[in-house]
Amino acid sequence: AKLRDLTKRLEYGGIYGGGAPTLYANLVKEFPQVTFQNVAEALKRVNDKMVGVVAWHSRLEEEARLRREIRTAGLGRMRLFPLGNFNASIVMNYPVQSEAAWILAQSLFRFAAVTHPELLQLDDLYRWRLLDPAWVEMARGKGWDQWVSPVELLINGHDSIIAESDEDEAERARDLLAACMDHVVEHEGAKMHFYADARIGRRASEV
């Protein structure tokens, strides 16, 4: 567990632009065996593996400095820096977290609309891109808009959804959940496929 924690903090520190002196000062308190050279070498490996991400982060910082704001691709959410001062980790983290929240919002609306078909008639859901006509057509083709018994959302986390159904409908509900959470995101000419896994259980701890 300690090795996992150390590795995660080094990787995330590199991803969010942390420098070796800062990371070493934070890590050595809990991991006295770690040397500054260890941290510097680990950060270099992280950065060497994600040259494109490092370049993207640099561009985000430059745009935030010039425009005094940062915008996201989903609903155009933004953070403003009217005085021109900003924390680099916020600039790097905000677009990723906001896009993740946008993907989860789409997943929730997909599930809610298909299990309550009257929502499929609301034009605003398509206008705001919370529903996609092609995805809805696919879901209807699989019969996911027709249920013998109610299928209801119970709770969602930052990257998960838990729903409830009768046992006879459990496999169909599981497949629908996976399809709702499955997304392909396009950004600057590249496509990223976010796959989802879904399981059946009698209690939350089993899924």
Side-chain angles (χ1 to χ4, degrees), residues 180-196:
C180 288
M181 292 286 280
D182 189 283
H183 279 78
V184 176
V185 176
E186 295 188 31
H187 184 70
E188 297 183 357
K191 288 186 178 181
M192 294 170 282
H193 195 158
F194 295 90
Y195 297 93

Side-chain angles (χ1 to χ4, degrees), residues 56-89:
W56 179 56
H57 282 168
S58 297
R59 192 170 74 252
L60 286 177
E61 284 194 67
E62 183 64 21
E63 290 175 355
R65 189 171 291 108
L66 292 173
R67 300 177 183 175
R68 299 190 177 186
E69 68 176 33
I70 185 165
R71 291 180 178 268
T72 63
L75 288 175
R77 296 174 64 189
M78 64 181 175
R79 288 286 298 268
L80 300 176
F81 310 104
L83 300 180
N85 300 320
F86 59 83
N87 185 318
S89 64

Side-chain angles (χ1 to χ4, degrees), residues 10 28 42 49 73 85-86 94 98 110-112 115 123-124 139 150 160 164 194 198 203:
L10 277 169
V28 74
K49 289 290 185 180
N85 300 320
F86 59 83
Y94 184 69
S98 294
R110 283 176 173 181
F111 190 90
T115 53
D123 292 338
D124 283 348
S160 62
E164 182 179 57
F194 295 90
R203 54 185 62 86

Side-chain angles (χ1 to χ4, degrees), residues 126-169:
Y126 300 91
R127 184 164 61 89
W128 286 102
R129 294 185 292 118
L130 291 165
L131 288 180
D132 174 66
W135 188 92
V136 171
E137 183 179 357
M138 177 276 295
R140 279 178 160 158
K142 292 182 178 292
W144 286 334
D145 59 335
Q146 300 174 26
W147 300 87
V148 175
S149 55
V151 180
E152 303 289 355
L153 285 170
L154 291 183
I155 192 172
N156 69 272
H158 71 281
D159 60 358
S160 62
I161 299 175
I162 296 179
E164 182 179 57
S165 73
D166 284 357
E167 194 167 351
D168 291 344
E169 301 272 41

